[in-house]
């Protein structure tokens, strides 16, 4: 009976710890997805507020700033052009007004414009979709365009449209945010990253919160920083915890960092990039592991140890912030979870829909991967 009571107590303690871990991550997600951060994009200083929030969290956790020559030490500044929508677009089909974000979205490259068009001309501006997914563009097209949900209007009986778009191509200043945990052997270092920017919004009130993409990854990044900053968990190698900006605009922040890294890249052991971590019931996929078969075999074993349903390989692709360094031949990987989350690049990617289905298992898997940096097989020739 005593043994059973002890086992029950240990299980209860583990469940409580797991719940606390998930609750802490959810608090970070809620903050990053709050309306004040405006989709962590290009309106209302949303991305800037998110950068300040993350820098403050790094400081509270006890990380050392990476960029000593900047004003805050945690932030690396860069600029790029981006197309923005300071006012919500208007679209009426056959005299019926549609809801922006829910029933239609303006194409992200759209310039300003307005008009009333008949059926033939209207068809040139409309694309009928079964799902609305938005993105970010750094240039403008010659005419506006719209994606419309198929069940939001009668596509077979299109008679007329009225539209109005207000956009502005701007020079935007963004910040990568990075802090460091010093390792026992600081001559080598690891890069653990997650992008914090998202799509922003189409005017006030039409926000894309980006809970899974990628407030979830930033929450795990902060949790890993908290873990490894504790003296009992000091890593062998120093760890740079990097929150990238402008991933959604074409990996702008990570390309900038790869060209302006204050540390010697040839001393970087590997990069582990975290994106889309809100699921996990169907396992994880790790991009670029096809080129590291020994590492992949080790990670599959590590996944089994922590109850990860599957650890799947994928060839390298320019689909997240690992790519700039992977392209140059450095061991850089991108991990995302599988299952549970359907919202993507839409207004429904909200904190209340984020399951964090296997948060503790994924966290322990990542922490062990990082802790084992000295033993992983990463033999591959640079291109």
């Amino acid at each position: 009976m005593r043994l059973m009571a002890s086992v029950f107590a240990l299980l209860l303690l583990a469940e409580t710890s797991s719940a606390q871990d998930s609750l802490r991550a959810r608090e970070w997600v809620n903050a990053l997805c709050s309306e004040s951060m405006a989709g962590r994009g290009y309106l209302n200083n949303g991305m800037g507020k998110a950068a300040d929030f993350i820098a403050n969290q790094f400081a509270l956790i006890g990380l050392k700033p990476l960029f000593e020559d900047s004003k805050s030490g945690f932030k690396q500044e860069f600029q790029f052009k981006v197309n923005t929508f300071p006012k919500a677009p208007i679209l009426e089909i056959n005299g019926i007004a549609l809801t922006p974000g829910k029933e239609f979205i303006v194409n992200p490259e759209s310039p300003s414009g307005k008009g009333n068009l008949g059926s033939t001309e209207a068809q040139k501006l409309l694309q009928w979709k079964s799902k609305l997914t938005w993105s970010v563009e750094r240039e403008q097209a010659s005419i506006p365009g719209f994606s419309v949900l198929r069940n939001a209007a009668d596509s077979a009986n299109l008679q007329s449209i009225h539209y109005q778009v207000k956009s502005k191509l701007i020079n935007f200043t963004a910040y990568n945010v990075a802090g460091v945990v010093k390792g026992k052997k600081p001559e080598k270092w690891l890069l653990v990253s997650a992008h914090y920017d998202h799509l922003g919004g189409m005017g006030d009130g039409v926000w894309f919160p980006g809970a899974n993409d990628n407030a979830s990854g930033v929450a795990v990044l902060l949790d890993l920083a908290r873990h490894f900053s504790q003296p009992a968990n000091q890593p062998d190698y120093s760890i740079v915890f990097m929150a990238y900006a402008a991933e959604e605009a074409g990996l702008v922040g990570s390309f900038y960092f790869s060209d302006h890294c204050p540390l010697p890249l040839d001393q970087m052991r590997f990069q582990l990039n975290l994106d889309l971590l809100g699921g996990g019931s169907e396992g994880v996929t790790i991009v670029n592991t096809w080129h590291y078969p020994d590492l992949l075999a080790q990670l599959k074993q590590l996944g089994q140890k922590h109850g990860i349903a599957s650890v799947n390989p994928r060839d390298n692709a320019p689909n997240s912030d690992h790519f700039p360094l992977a392209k140059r031949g450095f061991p850089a990987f991108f991990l995302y979870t599988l299952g549970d989350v359907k919202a993507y690049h839409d207004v429904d990617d909200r904190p209340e829909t984020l399951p964090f289905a296997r948060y503790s298992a994924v966290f322990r898997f990542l922490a062990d991967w990082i802790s084992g940096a000295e033993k992983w097989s990463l033999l591959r020739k640079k291109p």
Side-chain angles (χ1 to χ4, degrees):
M1 291 293 292
R2 289 180 180 177
L3 178 61
M4 290 179 64
S6 297
V7 170
F8 178 78
L10 288 172
L11 289 172
L12 181 62
L13 180 62
E15 289 178 0
T16 302
S17 176
S18 173
Q20 287 174 343
D21 288 345
S22 179
L23 286 174
R24 180 169 46 236
R26 286 190 180 279
E27 289 177 358
W28 282 318
V29 168
N30 289 338
L32 290 165
C33 294
S34 64
E35 189 169 322
S36 66
M37 293 197 188
R40 303 188 304 282
Y42 307 93
L43 302 177
N44 299 353
N45 192 33
M47 200 185 305
K49 291 175 183 176
D52 290 340
F53 173 81
I54 295 167
N56 184 55
Q57 294 302 304
F58 281 167
L60 290 173
I61 289 169
L63 272 59
K64 302 299 181 184
L66 178 63
F67 308 109
E68 298 290 351
D69 58 342
S70 69
K71 291 181 180 179
S72 76
F74 288 104
K75 292 166 35 174
Q76 181 186 47
E77 180 180 318
F78 60 96
Q79 291 82 32
F80 60 103
K81 287 186 176 182
V82 65
N83 197 32
T84 64
F85 297 88
K87 291 186 178 181
I90 294 172
L91 180 63
E92 298 175 5
I93 296 182
N94 297 343
I96 300 174
L98 303 186
T99 303
K102 288 289 189 179
E103 296 179 311
F104 81 95
I105 54 175
V106 63
N107 292 353
E109 72 275 13
S110 291
S112 295
K114 60 182 179 179
N116 298 284
L117 301 177
S119 176
T120 302
E121 291 301 313
Q123 290 286 10
K124 298 177 182 178
L125 303 189
L126 305 183
Q127 291 183 311
W128 301 90
K129 302 283 187 177
S130 57
K131 184 184 185 307
L132 299 178
T133 55
W134 210 40
S135 59
V136 177
E137 288 292 338
R138 288 184 279 160
E139 296 179 345
Q140 286 189 345
S142 56
I143 60 173
F146 305 89
S147 292
V148 184
L149 274 183
R150 295 186 188 280
N151 61 359
D154 187 356
S155 60
N157 187 34
L158 178 62
Q159 298 175 18
S160 65
I161 68 168
H162 167 72
Y163 71 91
Q164 187 170 327
V165 176
K166 176 64 176 178
S167 65
K168 188 176 182 180
L169 189 66
I170 64 172
N171 290 313
F172 188 79
T173 298
Y175 301 90
N176 293 325
V177 187
V180 183
V181 170
K182 188 175 181 180
K184 300 171 186 176
K185 303 173 183 178
E187 68 278 1
K188 288 189 178 293
W189 58 284
L190 315 177
L191 175 59
V192 182
S193 62
H195 77 89
Y196 69 90
D197 66 298
H198 195 50
L199 308 177
M202 298 188 303
D204 285 339
V206 188
W207 306 117
F208 294 76
N212 192 41
D213 185 15
N214 184 34
S216 66
V218 175
V220 175
L221 180 82
L222 290 170
D223 212 1
L224 289 168
R226 177 200 58 80
H227 173 80
F228 284 106
S229 66
Q230 297 172 5
N233 301 323
Q234 184 183 18
D236 288 329
Y237 302 136
S238 295
I239 306 175
V240 172
F241 290 96
M242 167 65 76
Y244 283 120
E247 189 265 3
E248 302 289 8
L251 316 182
V252 182
S254 50
F255 269 110
Y256 186 86
F257 178 75
S258 71
D259 292 333
H260 301 87
C261 179
L263 299 177
L265 284 171
D266 59 357
Q267 296 301 309
M268 185 190 74
R269 193 76 174 90
F270 63 81
Q271 177 188 3
L272 172 55
N273 183 61
L274 310 173
D275 204 343
L276 307 169
L277 295 191
S281 65
E282 297 177 16
V284 299
T285 291
I286 311 176
V287 177
N288 202 29
T289 45
W290 276 122
H291 301 286
Y292 298 85
D294 293 339
L295 172 66
L296 177 61
Q298 291 169 307
L299 292 178
K300 283 181 176 291
Q301 291 180 352
L302 188 64
Q304 291 177 347
K305 172 185 173 182
H306 290 296
I308 303 294
S310 62
V311 176
N312 305 290
R314 183 173 170 179
D315 203 354
N316 193 26
N319 54 355
S320 197
D321 285 316
H322 72 291
F323 184 73
L325 290 177
K327 182 181 180 182
R328 295 169 58 176
F330 294 102
F333 311 100
F334 159 32
L335 181 143
Y336 58 91
T337 57
L338 301 172
D340 313 296
V341 182
K342 295 181 179 179
Y344 178 73
H345 278 218
D346 55 38
V347 295
D348 295 322
D349 187 10
R350 306 184 309 274
E352 57 267 29
T353 67
L354 194 70
F356 272 141
R358 298 285 291 146
Y359 183 88
S360 294
V362 171
F363 179 86
R364 291 193 300 268
F365 173 84
L366 294 171
D368 271 9
W369 182 354
I370 294 166
S371 297
E374 199 165 17
K375 67 183 179 182
W376 302 122
S377 299
L378 299 171
L379 299 177
R380 181 192 176 211
K381 293 181 180 180
K382 296 180 183 180

